[in-house]
Amino acid sequence: MPETPAEPTDRSAVRSLLRLWPYVRPVRARWIGAALVAVLASSLALVIPLVLKWMVDGPVADRDPGGVWLGALWLLLLGIAEAGLFGLRRWLVARPLAGVEASMRADLFRHLQRLPVAFHDRWPSGQLLSRGTTDLMLLRMFLAFPLTFLLVNGTTILVGFVILFAQEWSLGLVLLAPAVPLMVLCSLFETKYSLVARRAQDQVGDLTTVVEESVLGIRIVKGFGRNRSQALAFRALARRLRTTELGKARLLAGIWALVTAIPELAIGAALVLGTIEVADGTLSAGTLVAFLSTALALRWPVDSIGFLLAMSQEAATAADRFFEVMDVEEEPEPETSGTASGTPDRGIVFDGVEFRYPDAEPGSPPVLGRIDLRIRPGETMALVGATGSGKTTLTALVPRLHDVTGGRILLDGEDISTMPRPRLRELVSVAFEEPTLFSATVGENVLMGAEGASEQELRQALSVAQADFAHQLPQGVGTQVGEQGLSLSGGQRQRLALARAVVGGPRFLVLDDPLSALDVHTEALVEAALRRVLEGTTALVVAHRPSTVMLADRVALLSDGRISAVGTHQELLRTSPEYAWLMSGAHDTGVLVPEEGGAR
Ligand SMILES: Nc1ncnc2c1ncn2[C@@H]1O[C@H](COP(=O)(O)OP(=O)(O)OP(=O)(O)O)[C@@H](O)[C@H]1O
Ligand SMILES: [Mg+2]
């Protein structure tokens, strides 16, 4: 498990579950009301034996049919009232608890959106997905059922025993005798069960990850004929989960058998002793009937304790898994808001920037060692470097998808680490290699780049990015894009992502090789349009091909974690062999292999 490995041994289920209180608080009145109703209903069940006692010792002994009918009527009424009250309880809690689940889910989602990119690099999406679905459902069920019934059954058992002792204390003691061994057994069971429950829930997460990856990567899976191996992987995980679930069932069956059998033996013993007492004349028949029917009425509350505890354990595990994610710190907001430095150095400035991925090997050199670079206002700087040299990493630092681990980045003289995030993201627009689109309309996907932008701006952005094809789609810009935009061609997706980056005319533009998937003709069109956009902004554009580099005023060469050369395309061609090699295009065909590939 990422970050906090499952260590359920020293954690208390109660403490985990208590953390749910803030979510339950708003519905506490209804929940407590429902619990009281349930307690009342269960207590009614305990009155039934007393009516029986009255019937046996009174009308039955006196052979009075009228009295028997009256007693029967009472029993019927009590039964109806009990059923009605349980129905009322359900009605009381169903809606508020659905609300609790919804608000927890909303919190989780909001939190996931705010966690740093580094967190998402680390955590498999299936683990997050299963927390947002299965675990939250378990928690809602816990609040609706086991929590209430632990309380209700506890109270019922208590009241029941008071009644039992009041009837005949010696027989009461016989029934009470198994309590201690039962409690020991239950606590042993709980410890074991919590371990298995945690394992099962983590395995559900793993399984979800495989399903998600296979569905999202269905093209690759099919294209490479990986169906079988994916299916095998899935089956292996499913089998592992099944083994765990069977283990859970075995544990549950064991405790269930014990919790049922032991009280049964005690009731048997009480029956024998009671019958002897009745024969001796020291106990009335009615009392024995009442005693035994009370004991029988307590059977369900006692029996159910085993699986109520099991469900509570599962809920505690679910709560742990939920809070494991919620406890990860969100991206901190800067305390001071943008204090411009003494000499407002306009443009984008990288000042001794160092970056190392959080999960990098401790001794390894950082991806970016020391980046010093200044992009003048209005200038377009191309960033060129071998594959794996850190270009994407460098561009991700500007919108603070990752935070620099050394040095600073200034936008118009303002340190981005002291800038409120919303402002930073307003200033900087980005488009990445992988054009990510969402299941929304084309228009919504593009306008994500500038909330509240007008129809006119949308049109303009589409035209700049040569994405006018959007108007020809069945419903124009209102056309729904499939999941991840997979219903569009690669080039179409890239142009939409580009439109999203330029909509609203951002001050700073960061483009990570935005033209890689375009055919030569479209590329030329996008470049022509992009030239217009770039005139108005300060831009950093990762470029792999000479044609993209031509858009830029100057070029920076990234190698070995540093900017090793800056200059115009022509200058660098003359002075830097590495640059000349990168631009020669020969490496695309694999004809010319340099001695130092630059890829580390
Ligand atoms: N999330 C990550 N966690 C750890 N290491 C990473 C992560 N992303 C990238 N790296 C490493 O950082 C280095 C630079 O990667 P980056 O994606 O920045 O290269 P690039 O220059 O954009 O390459 P390309 O031209 O192929 O797009 C690589 O060695 C890569 O393995
Ligand atoms: Mg890259």
Side-chain angles (χ1 to χ4, degrees), residues 401-587:
L401 299 184
H402 294 290
D403 277 320
V404 295
T405 47
R408 47 188 198 144
I409 299 175
L410 307 172
L411 294 181
D412 282 350
E414 210 176 309
D415 190 340
I416 60 168
S417 64
T418 63
M419 219 183 260
R421 256 167 232 279
R423 198 170 111 71
L424 173 64
R425 293 190 178 154
E426 215 168 83
L427 284 176
V428 180
S429 244
V430 288
F432 295 107
E433 284 165 295
E434 276 300 316
T436 306
L437 299 179
F438 294 89
S439 318
T441 66
V442 169
E444 283 164 345
N445 266 296
V446 172
L447 288 179
M448 214 168 259
E451 263 160 59
S454 66
E455 189 78 4
Q456 176 60 31
E457 282 171 297
L458 171 63
R459 252 169 204 290
Q460 203 180 341
L462 286 173
S463 121
V464 165
Q466 296 291 324
D468 295 297
F469 70 88
H471 301 298
Q472 265 86 61
L473 292 172
Q475 278 107 43
V477 291
T479 308
Q480 198 74 20
V481 186
E483 191 182 2
Q484 294 204 324
L486 289 184
S487 55
L488 297 172
S489 82
Q492 287 174 330
R493 263 180 283 153
Q494 261 192 340
R495 281 180 283 162
L496 286 183
L498 203 55
R500 173 165 60 201
V502 299
V503 74
R507 188 113 73 92
F508 301 100
L509 198 56
V510 176
L511 304 177
D512 188 359
D513 199 21
L515 308 178
S516 63
L518 304 182
D519 64 72
V520 183
H521 301 290
T522 320
E523 187 187 338
L525 285 173
V526 178
E527 273 169 6
L530 204 53
R531 204 178 289 277
R532 287 214 311 270
V533 183
L534 291 176
E535 268 166 23
T537 63
T538 308
L540 179 64
V541 181
V542 174
H544 278 113
R545 319 183 220 186
S547 56
T548 321
V549 173
M550 296 306 179
L551 287 171
D553 303 303
R554 288 191 300 160
V555 186
L557 177 64
L558 180 63
S559 67
D560 289 332
R562 285 161 183 272
I563 300 293
S564 58
V566 182
T568 64
H569 177 60
Q570 293 304 331
E571 282 168 12
L572 290 192
L573 277 182
R574 273 200 313 277
T575 55
S576 163
E578 188 186 349
Y579 183 75
W581 171 73
L582 282 170
M583 282 296 124
S584 69
H587 59 290

